[in-house]
Amino acid sequence: MEKEAGRLLESGEMITTLINHKDNTKKSDKTLQAIQRVGQAVNLAVGRFVKVGEAIANENWDLKEEINIACIEAKQAGETIAALTDVSSLNHPESDGQITIFTDKTGVIKAARLLLSSVTKVLLLADRVVIKQIITSRNKVLATMERLEKVNSFQEFVQIFSQFGNEMVEFAHLTGDRQNDLKDEKKKAKMAAARAVLEKCTMMLLTASKTCLRHPNCESAHKNKEGVFDRMKVALDKVIEIVTDCKPHAETDISSITIFTGIKEFKMNIETLRESLCFESKENLLGTLEAILERTEDFTDSAYTSHEHRERILELSTHARMELQQLISVWSQAQSKKTKSVAEELELSMLKISHSLNELKKELHRTATQLAADLLKYHADHVVLKALKLTGVEGNLEGLAEYACKLSEQKDQLVETCRLLRHVSGTEPLEITCIHAEETFQVTGQQIISAAETLTLHPSSKIAKENLDVFCEAWESQISDMSTLLKEINDVFEGRRGEKYGYLSLPKPMKNNANLKSLKPDKPDAEEKARIAKLGLKLGLLTSDANCEIEKWENQETEIVRCGRKMSSVAYSLYLFTRGEGPLKTSQDLIHQLEVFAEEGLKLASSVQAFSKQLKDDDKLLLLLEINKLIPLCHQLQTITKAPLQNQVFLKVDKCITKTRSMMAILVQLLSLCFKLLKKLQMENNRWVGVTDKDSVNGKT
């Protein structure tokens, strides 16, 4: 709908040209034909727009009548414009290759107004439809989350989580489209932050819930899981606030104003003195400056601010107060003595206070960014996280207490640094990103500690270890995002804006674009990126489903399980690639992993086929049907990876990920089916009670 509206808007510019052309002027045949083509183009654009509108109406019965009426009006307006610009319907005498044309301007203007009105109605109604879809999708996600919170059996959890994954993909798609359509950069940043939380928490929810099911009496495991659920619910509510443009909890905008924003507004008020438009009272000006300087206490009171920076900030704050007092004094004189010398003195005072505030801005920016850079460098090797993992698998409770304390200190440093960065961010979207980073460090830090405690209490638990790994990866990812955020803040401060910031969200531009540039001259458009990001998210959720199925096999390290685990691992690296993360950096890395994936798929098919020989005909047939789906996909993937690129890198990536996703779906089915049939075989024959040998599943009995 937005795309068709955009095309219609382009045609609208042509309508303006038609209306503004001079009356009673002689036009050549070429000009007349051009006018007719404009009218036809407008009518065609309206037709496409109406077609989309009618499709939306048919899917939404509650708004169908309103949308259809608006579409009829738009269609009539388009046809009227086409008729009024139809040269063939005019009867005009020729004269020296020139002809005189009468254009019904009034008719064109009326039709254009009707078109604008009707198109606006359709867009507003379509917007209501989108909002309703997002709210409905959110409600479905919430309902499934409630079921996940109450689930008690692993089998039931796997089933419900699969449904939850599909619902999250739908919600991500709807909110991603909405994010791209938003014009307000602040809202766009808020939406991106909320979606980033939901994306990362989806993976956390899986491992945290599995840990709870495996260790139901572990308090730290329950605390860990509850933290994920709570954060996801807050993020879901935030999305609805953005799309409905409502604020259930009134935001305290005054207290949330950053120092840089306060200085900018203060300087604008001072500028009005040049015109003597609306000089505020002395008390108001002093109060505004004091409110700004009071916020600098976030810097001066911080334990992480160096003595030199603290002294310099206090010095510049005192200087700003003195300059304001001087400005007020000079302006008071200017009111009674309107002489040239007083005016010049007033101008000089204004320049001095402005310069003083600029110097304060520089010092604050230098303090915050230097602190952030030092902190990121110091924690780049993630020593504390590695230590927590080690103490966990060792069951070392004393070590856990020591390193949990160190992580808490690190968390407090990062949270405070994000707060200082927000003051100097320079733009509202970056302010939102700083808040998002602050909240993420605050929450994730606590969750890592609870996950580490669970592992320390159950050091042999594979799922508890996997859970801690997932939360540590989230922490490391946020550290990486903070590094990008710091660079963007520096770029804004120095006037280098470059490409727009991605706000840490899906769909994310792939980091390996630089590697693809030499192969594909044209940059991928937004639709290509969004499609690949969507496919990647589905792939990530399928790896979670596969891992759930592998968990059922417990310690039975059969060839089927080994192939399944390898395929799931490769698929997860492909998912990270679509987000611009993980070990795969270039298109060649991707192709190599796809070749490995296809080979493992064929090995899996061979192992399952060998296992099927031990089954009865009916059960054997079930497995062979799935194998016959998998083998052709493996060969197709091998063919695609070997095909030359021919400047179609993103098309090739799209095809590969689509095939991989289909193969992963079959893998999940095969793992589930093989497990059930193996259990059935064990029950039918006592010889299969303790099948743990790899060769037995391969049919080598």
Side-chain angles (χ1 to χ4, degrees), residues 289 293 296 312-322 360:
L289 181 63
L293 298 181
T296 64
R312 181 64 176 156
I313 292 168
L314 291 171
E315 180 187 332
L316 289 169
S317 298
T318 301
H319 191 63
R321 289 189 183 96
M322 290 170 56
L360 179 61

Side-chain angles (χ1 to χ4, degrees), residues 155-170:
Q155 191 66 32
E156 186 185 2
F157 171 77
V158 171
Q159 182 183 356
I160 298 173
F161 189 83
S162 178
Q163 177 190 337
F164 174 72
N166 292 331
E167 290 170 353
M168 281 301 297
V169 168
E170 178 193 359

Side-chain angles (χ1 to χ4, degrees), residues 73-90:
E73 290 177 353
K75 193 174 181 180
Q76 288 174 346
E79 289 172 351
T80 302
I81 290 170
L84 292 172
T85 55
D86 186 0
V87 178
S88 62
S89 66
L90 299 174

Side-chain angles (χ1 to χ4, degrees), residues 425-614:
S425 55
T427 68
E428 285 188 327
L430 289 176
E431 285 181 32
I432 301 301
T433 309
C434 288
I435 294 170
H436 167 69
E438 182 183 335
E439 291 173 350
T440 300
F441 283 126
Q442 188 72 264
V443 175
T444 310
Q446 294 295 335
Q447 289 176 316
I448 288 174
I449 291 171
S450 60
E453 184 181 340
T454 303
L455 178 59
T456 308
L457 294 171
H458 307 277
S460 61
S461 173
K462 288 184 179 179
I463 183 56
K465 183 179 183 302
E466 181 189 348
N467 186 50
L468 178 57
D469 287 340
V470 167
F471 282 96
C472 287
E473 284 171 13
W475 180 275
E476 291 170 12
S477 174
Q478 189 57 53
I479 289 282
S480 175
D481 287 341
M482 187 176 175
S483 179
T484 306
L485 172 62
L486 179 60
K487 181 183 181 302
E488 181 70 8
I489 289 172
N490 280 325
D491 286 347
V492 170
F493 187 79
E494 295 170 14
R496 301 190 312 266
R497 290 310 302 269
E499 293 184 2
K500 278 192 174 181
Y501 192 47
Y503 306 126
L504 321 177
S505 73
L506 276 176
K508 212 175 193 179
M510 296 165 67
K511 289 181 183 176
N512 54 320
N513 278 358
N515 299 309
L516 303 181
K517 191 181 286 186
S518 60
L519 298 172
K520 183 178 179 183
D522 297 326
K523 289 185 178 180
D525 59 27
E527 287 186 12
E528 285 179 312
K529 290 180 190 174
R531 173 171 168 75
I532 288 175
K534 182 183 175 185
L535 287 172
L537 182 57
K538 290 181 179 178
L539 192 59
L541 292 168
L542 280 169
T543 62
S544 299
D545 292 341
N547 291 336
C548 284
E549 293 298 334
I550 291 170
E551 280 288 322
K552 294 180 189 175
W553 292 70
E554 296 178 343
N555 295 320
Q556 299 183 59
E557 194 62 31
T558 67
E559 188 66 14
I560 293 172
V561 171
R562 192 201 66 75
C563 290
R565 186 176 285 112
K566 179 66 176 175
M567 290 175 73
S568 180
S569 174
V570 173
Y572 188 72
S573 68
L574 299 182
Y575 155 68
L576 291 176
F577 178 84
T578 63
R579 298 178 59 218
E581 299 176 3
L584 308 183
K585 303 299 181 186
T586 68
S587 53
Q588 288 305 315
D589 293 342
L590 175 71
I591 289 169
H592 174 68
Q593 286 300 305
L594 288 166
E595 289 170 349
V596 172
F597 187 80
E599 288 173 8
E600 290 297 328
L602 290 172
K603 288 180 184 177
L604 174 72
S606 176
S607 299
V608 174
Q609 195 166 19
F611 172 56
S612 69
K613 293 176 183 178
Q614 305 170 38

